[in-house]
């Protein structure tokens, strides 16, 4: 059981990518949303919405990894052990939510480790903590929309 | 090494497909900051006075700034620069969306586009890959269809800036569209793309933007977001976005109505921000890194057509709502969609059509010339004329030139109500009882545009009839607001929710490592302002005081209705303001920077080239 259960309200997403920016800064210390560990997909011109793809720590990546490089952490999330990973990218292909990410700079894939920084800085409560939906500091948000 | 900057400038010649990548000059970064400043400097350096806007030798510069794409609120503003087909002078037009951050991540601070492609083309950039590709079926498509087409071909994550039929047909106020609803709307930047046979620029970038102190930027950036969240303006302003200002502007009698005939529109509450939220909103749509999304993606039905559109934002509500007297938000959204898809600026577009309707009303245009009758508040008339303009068919060919040219051709006193300055149509603030704003429109570098100095709040704050201090305020704003454009970020966190400017000074230092104070940055902004003035002097024969004028209507007619009824700015007062403004700027009475002023700003090369000694 993961310590943090991410949940999304797709309708709130405005596509700003702050989640990807803070994610890449938190995890890689790089200003590069292309190294974020969740996905934002615009569906325009119709129907006119954004879709967020995020990891629910289902563990399929760990199951399919031929070298057991993806391990379950005590806190319940799965993480890529880069020392074991061979970069075969099978996990990327098999991930049911398309949230095993790759980047030309990196030989191994990377994934969400439930740090929760996206939840803290999403300006629109579009991605939130399922166990603590009131975690946000601007609870009135839903009321004024 | 430069930090904050991508570090490279790309030059592409569409004629022969050649490309060149050079390092971003450190000296240019220190003196002109980025984005707007880079565009200004490159235009100055590279365009001879005799190059016409539609000459092959005109260039387009698309430029990001040192803070563009960086983790801080609303850091995704890109600007396009060229010699303007609307004014013959300096042009820049900026927009948000996601292409600015993408360009930085592809490794470029600026792209300089030269020459003219032999056939309709688009430019593809992906990190080091640069290719001029045939546009094929893309040519002729509207902005929405075209962007969808390219995303299908290149992938959903490619960021695309493109023109519609209006740009292809070189309408003088054709815009550049992006992200299904963002536009670099003003000055006809899209027409220059059309002239270059350039349908689109598609960008994809994977690189990390180098920061001087990434840990410090991360902490500072997070603190800036937190402060936005804690700011009362965050929840108050965001839901309606710019449309939220409609009621207030109407209340103070500055809402352009019926071709700026008056400043009050009876049906304002049918086209305001509340109407968007209650009637047509689909989703709030934001730009890169922006916590306060002003984009309102909407849907509606007009006639038998169901449509979606991003908007309308305030300017479109003003210029296509009040100014054309459309009395429902659905109708305003519909003509917004028509204009966006055709690739026409809704500000100039609304202004031009209002001019045409007034001409029709006064018998200067007739049914035979137009192909139908024209009346205020008729959504079908507006859509019809927009289409004619974009295709340059019938009367549309004349109207495609803008109101300055059209009024000179039509005559009959129509110049009095051709609402333009320097050849660029006014945007959405009727200013007869707002001297600061009037001066701002008269002196903006690109022609009549509000975003260089939004002085109207100052008029209200200190008294609308007062003149004292107003020239000072406009000079101050003309350095402050365009500085955001030089940094490559959006000013809305500051303008709309009163975000502390101190943040920008601090983050600039840790992003770039350059030890600039806010005063240093403002000084650079003043340098850019003067350089643009010099550009206009170089490129527009006889450029000077007469070009800082406002339409005759504003001197000749009192505001006839609404809260500003009976008011107008006396011509003598306007001239007084202008005198004071020139004095503050260190310009002569004809509005030309003195050699001393230029030298003080480090613009000695301007003195030399303009032979001002």
């Amino acid at each position: 059981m993961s310590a943090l259960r991410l949940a999304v309200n797709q309708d709130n997403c405005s596509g700003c990518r702050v989640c990807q920016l803070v994610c890449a800064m938190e995890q890689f210390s790089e200003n590069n949303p292309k190294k974020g560990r969740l996905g934002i997909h615009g569906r325009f011109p119709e129907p006119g919405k954004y879709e967020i793809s995020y990891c629910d720590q289902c563990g399929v990546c760990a199951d399919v990894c031929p070298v057991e490089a993806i391990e379950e952490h005590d806190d319940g999330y799965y993480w890529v052990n880069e020392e074991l990973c061979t970069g075969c990218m099978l996990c990327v292909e098999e991930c049911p939510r398309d949230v095993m990410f790759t980047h030309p700079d990196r030989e191994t894939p990377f994934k969400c480790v439930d740090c929760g920084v996206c939840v803290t800085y999403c300006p629109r409560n579009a991605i939130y903590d399922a166990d603590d939906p009131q975690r946000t500091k601007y609870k009135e948000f839903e009321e004024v929309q | 090494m430069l930090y904050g900057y991508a570090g490279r400038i790309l030059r592409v010649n569409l004629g022969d497909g050649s490309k060149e990548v050079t390092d971003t000059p450190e000296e240019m970064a220190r003196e002109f900051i980025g984005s707007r400043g880079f565009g200004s400097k490159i235009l100055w350096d590279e365009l001879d006075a005799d190059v016409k806007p539609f000459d092959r030798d005109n260039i387009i510069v698309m430029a990001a700034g040192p803070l563009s794409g960086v983790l801080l609120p609303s850091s995704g503003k890109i600007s396009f620069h060229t010699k303007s087909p609307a004014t013959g002078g300096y042009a820049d037009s900026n927009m948000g969306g996601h292409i600015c951050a993408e360009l930085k991540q592809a490794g470029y601070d600026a792209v300089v586009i030269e020459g003219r492609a032999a056939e309709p083309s688009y430019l593809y950039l992906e990190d080091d890959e640069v290719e001029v590709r045939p546009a094929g079926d893309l040519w002729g498509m509207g902005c929405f269809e075209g962007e969808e087409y390219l995303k299908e071909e290149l992938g959903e994550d490619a960021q695309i800036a493109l023109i519609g039929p209006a740009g292809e047909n070189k309408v003088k106020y054709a815009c550049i569209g992006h992200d299904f609803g963002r536009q670099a709307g003003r000055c006809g930047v899209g027409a220059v793309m059309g002239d270059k046979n350039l349908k689109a620029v598609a960008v994809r970038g994977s690189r990390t933007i180098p920061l001087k102190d990434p840990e410090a930027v991360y902490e500072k950036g997070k603190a800036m977001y937190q402060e936005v969240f804690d700011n009362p303006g965050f929840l108050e302003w965001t839901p309606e976005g710019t449309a939220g200002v409609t009621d207030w502007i109407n209340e103070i009698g500055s809402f352009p109505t019926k071709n700026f005939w008056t400043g009050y529109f009876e049906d304002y509450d049918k086209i305001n921000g509340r109407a968007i939220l209650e009637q047509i909103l689909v989703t709030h749509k934001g730009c890169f890194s922006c916590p306060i999304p002003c984009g309102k993606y909407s849907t509606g039905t007009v006639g038998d057509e169901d449509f979606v559109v991003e908007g309308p934002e305030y300017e479109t509500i003003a210029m296509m709502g009040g100014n054309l007297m459309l009395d429902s938000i659905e109708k305003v959204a519909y003509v917004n969609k028509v204009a966006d898809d055709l690739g026409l600026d809704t500000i100039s577009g609304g202004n031009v059509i209002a001019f045409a309707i007034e001409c029709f009303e006064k018998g200067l245009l007739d049914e035979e010339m137009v192909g139908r009758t024209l009346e205020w508040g008729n959504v079908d008339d507006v859509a019809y004329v927009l289409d004619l303009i974009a295709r340059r068919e019938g009367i549309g060919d004349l109207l495609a030139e803008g109101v300055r040219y059209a009024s000179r051709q039509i005559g009959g006193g129509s110049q009095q109500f051709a609402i333009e300055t320097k050849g660029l149509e006014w945007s959405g603030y009727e200013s007869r009882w707002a001297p600061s704003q009037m001066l701002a429109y008269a002196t903006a570098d690109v022609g009549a545009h509000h975003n260089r100095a939004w002085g109207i709040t100052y008029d209200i704050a200190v008294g609308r009839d007062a003149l004292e201090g107003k020239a000072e305020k406009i000079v101050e704003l003309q350095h402050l607001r365009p500085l955001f454009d030089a940094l490559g970020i959006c000013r809305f966190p500051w303008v709309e929710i009163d975000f502390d400017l101190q943040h920008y000074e601090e983050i600039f230092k840790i992003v770039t490592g350059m030890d600039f104070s806010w005063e240093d940055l403002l000084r650079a902004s003043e340098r850019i302002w003067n350089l643009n003035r010099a550009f206009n002097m170089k490129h527009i024969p006889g450029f000077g005081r007469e070009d800082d004028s406002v339409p005759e209507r504003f001197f000749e007619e009192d505001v006839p209705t609404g809260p500003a009824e009976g008011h107008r700015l006396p011509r003598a007062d306007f001239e007084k303001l202008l005198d004071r403004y020139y004095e503050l700027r260190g310009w002569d009475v004809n509005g030309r920077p003195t050699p001393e002023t230029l030298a003080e700003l480090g613009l000695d090369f301007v003195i030399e080239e303009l032979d001002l000694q």
Side-chain angles (χ1 to χ4, degrees):
Chain A
M1 185 63 193
S2 168
L4 171 66
R5 287 195 303 129
L6 290 176
V8 297
N9 183 345
Q10 309 273 18
D11 290 344
N12 277 5
C13 180
S14 68
C16 71
R17 302 182 189 276
V18 170
C19 52
Q20 296 174 329
L21 260 170
V22 290
C23 176
M25 275 292 220
E26 179 75 23
Q27 297 300 330
F28 291 119
S29 214
E30 290 187 51
N31 194 109
N32 188 344
K34 299 293 174 73
K35 292 185 179 178
R37 301 171 180 210
L38 68 173
I40 303 294
H41 312 280
R43 304 296 182 218
F44 292 90
E46 305 237 30
K49 59 184 283 196
Y50 293 94
E51 286 169 13
I52 305 166
S53 49
Y54 67 98
C55 175
D56 64 353
Q57 310 297 345
C58 71
V60 168
C61 51
D63 294 344
V64 301
C65 178
V67 295
E68 296 184 357
I70 300 179
E71 303 172 9
E72 186 171 5
H73 191 272
D74 290 345
D75 283 343
Y77 61 82
Y78 290 84
W79 63 287
V80 180
N81 185 333
E82 288 174 18
E83 283 174 17
L84 300 178
C85 177
T86 61
C88 74
M89 305 296 175
L90 191 59
C91 57
V92 177
E93 283 169 40
E94 295 297 325
C95 174
R97 289 170 167 253
D98 283 334
V99 287
M100 290 296 302
F101 293 91
T102 61
H103 189 276
D105 286 354
R106 303 191 66 84
E107 288 171 7
T108 56
F110 45 96
K111 70 175 292 298
C112 172
V113 291
D114 273 354
C115 73
V117 70
C118 54
V119 170
T120 308
Y121 291 98
C122 172
R124 303 188 56 78
N125 292 359
I127 186 153
Y128 61 95
D129 179 349
D131 297 315
D132 185 10
Q134 295 302 308
R135 172 172 163 183
T136 168
K137 292 114 201 129
Y138 35 97
K139 301 182 182 70
E140 309 89 338
F141 183 82
E142 304 294 337
E143 291 154 33
V144 298
Q145 295 302 306
Chain B
M1 166 173 178
L2 287 170
Y3 295 94
Y5 298 85
R8 305 189 301 170
I9 291 175
L10 170 67
R11 186 174 294 274
V12 181
N13 188 305
L14 299 172
D16 58 18
S18 64
K19 56 171 181 169
E20 184 193 11
V21 177
T22 53
D23 290 343
T24 300
E26 200 172 325
E27 194 188 336
M28 185 163 81
R30 297 189 70 85
E31 290 179 6
F32 296 92
I33 310 298
S35 197
R36 164 176 160 89
F38 280 9
S40 300
K41 182 62 164 58
I42 294 170
L43 289 188
W44 172 270
D45 286 347
E46 300 190 14
L47 289 183
D48 290 336
D50 59 358
V51 173
K52 303 278 189 293
F54 292 146
D55 283 353
R56 192 191 53 196
D57 288 340
N58 194 7
I59 59 174
I60 300 169
V61 183
M62 63 187 280
L67 298 186
S68 301
V70 175
L71 194 157
L72 66 129
S74 318
S75 69
K77 277 266 187 162
I78 193 151
S79 64
F80 293 84
H81 302 254
T82 191
K83 183 164 175 174
S84 170
T87 69
Y90 169 79
D92 74 38
S93 189
N94 65 50
M95 68 182 179
H98 293 264
I99 197 168
C100 186
E102 201 73 29
L103 186 70
K104 286 273 293 275
Q105 289 205 252
Y108 306 107
D109 294 309
V111 181
V112 182
I113 300 167
E114 308 173 337
R116 182 185 290 135
E119 56 171 351
S121 303
Y122 78 92
L123 177 60
Y124 182 73
L125 312 177
E126 180 173 357
D127 295 333
D128 289 334
E129 185 187 343
V130 178
E131 203 182 338
V132 180
R133 298 177 173 175
D137 292 341
L138 200 52
W139 198 256
M141 283 184 189
C143 286
F144 300 136
E145 189 190 5
E147 186 161 1
E148 219 178 352
Y149 177 93
L150 270 177
K151 282 197 178 252
E152 218 149 272
E153 188 163 305
L154 305 172
E156 180 236 322
D157 61 335
Q159 298 299 339
I160 290 148
L162 81 171
I163 57 170
E168 294 175 12
N169 294 322
K170 297 192 267 187
V171 175
K172 297 273 174 81
Y173 40 96
C175 66
I176 298 172
H178 162 55
D179 198 28
F180 302 103
R182 289 278 145 186
Q183 286 86 23
R186 307 240 63 200
C187 303
V189 288
V192 180
M193 272 181 73
D195 182 64
K196 295 191 169 308
N197 261 331
L198 181 65
K199 178 70 177 180
V201 179
V203 185
R204 199 189 261 126
S206 69
R207 298 178 178 207
T208 296
I209 297 172
L211 305 175
K212 180 68 181 175
D213 186 344
E215 281 74 28
V217 172
Y218 186 33
E219 290 312 312
K220 180 69 190 168
K222 285 194 293 188
M224 288 172 81
Y225 279 102
Q226 192 56 54
E227 196 172 310
V228 169
F229 300 156
D230 294 339
N231 186 312
F234 174 61
L235 291 176
E236 285 160 17
W237 185 81
T238 308
E240 295 181 24
T242 62
V245 81
T246 307
D247 290 11
W248 181 70
I249 295 296
N250 200 54
E251 263 165 38
I252 63 169
S254 281
F255 192 61
T257 302
K258 212 177 168 186
N259 195 31
F260 287 83
W261 175 71
T262 187
Y264 184 80
F265 184 47
E266 299 281 343
D267 291 318
Y268 73 96
D269 57 347
K270 297 178 183 164
I271 60 171
N272 62 7
R274 188 46 51 187
I276 293 177
L277 292 188
E278 289 174 358
Q279 297 172 40
I280 61 173
L281 181 74
V282 177
T283 192
H284 301 269
K285 182 164 175 282
C287 301
F288 182 85
S289 84
C290 182
I292 52 170
C294 64
K296 307 301 158 196
Y297 203 74
S298 306
T299 187
T301 306
V302 165
D304 51 9
E305 190 178 338
D306 301 326
F307 65 92
V308 286
V309 65
E310 181 176 335
E313 43 74 64
Y314 171 73
E315 282 299 327
T316 306
I317 288 174
M319 300 311 299
M320 296 196 140
N323 210 36
L324 300 176
M325 303 188 76
L326 292 180
D327 62 359
S328 84
I329 194 66
E330 211 168 23
K331 289 177 190 171
V332 178
Y334 178 71
V335 294
N336 190 167
K337 186 253 8 167
V338 172
D340 285 1
D341 198 32
L342 291 168
L344 280 168
D345 175 27
T346 55
I347 296 176
S348 283
N351 190 315
V352 167
I353 292 175
F355 169 80
I357 298 172
E358 185 162 352
C359 283
F360 198 95
E361 199 178 50
K362 292 192 155 81
L364 300 171
L365 291 176
D366 60 29
E367 196 173 344
E368 197 185 336
M369 296 157 88
V370 177
R372 64 189 285 158
T373 60
L374 293 179
E375 59 184 12
W376 298 107
N378 185 318
V379 68
D380 295 331
D381 288 357
V382 178
Y384 168 84
V385 179
L386 283 171
D387 196 65
L388 288 186
I389 291 170
R391 300 182 198 289
R392 282 189 175 269
E393 284 170 11
I395 195 72
D397 194 36
L398 177 64
L399 297 176
E401 298 293 311
V403 296
R404 174 178 279 195
Y405 182 84
S407 66
R408 286 175 182 171
Q409 296 299 307
I410 291 168
S414 62
Q415 274 169 278
Q416 172 145 339
F417 56 86
I419 310 299
E420 53 85 13
T421 293
K422 297 183 178 65
L424 187 72
E425 289 77 17
W426 274 49
S427 59
Y429 302 93
E430 205 299 308
S431 304
R432 272 172 280 187
W433 197 22
S436 308
Q437 193 58 46
M438 191 72 97
L439 181 66
Y441 273 119
T443 57
D445 50 10
V446 293
H449 196 40
H450 59 281
N451 87 343
R452 305 300 136 116
W454 199 53
I456 200 156
T457 49
Y458 190 71
D459 285 308
I460 302 303
V462 302
R464 303 181 69 166
D465 293 314
L467 300 182
E468 294 72 33
K470 292 198 170 172
E472 284 82 350
K473 190 66 183 180
I474 292 310
V475 171
E476 179 195 331
L477 289 172
Q478 284 176 343
H479 297 161
L480 179 46
R481 294 175 61 101
L483 176 55
F484 284 85
D485 301 334
L487 294 169
I489 59 178
C490 182
R491 64 178 72 83
F492 275 5
W494 165 63
V495 174
E496 305 295 356
I497 69 169
D498 205 19
F499 203 51
D500 192 347
L501 289 170
Q502 183 67 30
H503 290 305
Y504 297 101
E505 178 179 297
E506 286 170 27
I507 204 157
F508 182 80
K509 280 183 190 167
I510 52 181
V511 167
T512 65
M514 293 199 259
D515 190 23
F516 281 21
S517 68
W518 189 246
E519 287 306 312
D520 294 334
L521 291 168
L522 286 172
R523 191 74 173 158
S525 191
E526 183 175 7
R527 185 175 298 125
I528 297 164
W529 192 270
N530 278 268
L531 184 61
N532 290 344
R533 189 75 179 179
F535 183 94
N536 283 341
M537 286 161 62
K538 174 174 158 184
H539 287 263
I540 300 172
F543 182 85
R545 188 177 185 115
E546 277 180 23
D547 296 276
D548 296 333
S549 63
V550 300
E552 282 300 298
R553 159 161 281 171
F554 299 153
F555 290 135
E556 300 289 333
E557 303 169 26
D558 287 349
V559 179
T561 64
E565 184 179 340
H567 289 277
R568 72 178 125 133
L569 182 65
R571 194 186 300 262
D573 285 356
F574 175 77
E575 298 297 341
K576 226 186 280 176
L577 275 176
L578 203 52
D579 282 337
R580 179 66 183 145
Y581 173 88
Y582 290 160
E583 190 188 329
L584 291 164
R585 285 214 163 280
W587 298 355
D588 66 19
V589 289
N590 195 28
R592 300 163 71 89
T594 63
E596 293 74 30
T597 299
L598 294 168
E600 224 172 90
L601 290 166
L603 294 171
D604 301 87
F605 57 90
V606 170
I607 304 173
E608 201 174 311
E609 187 161 345
L610 294 183
D611 205 12
L612 293 175
Q613 252 140 13

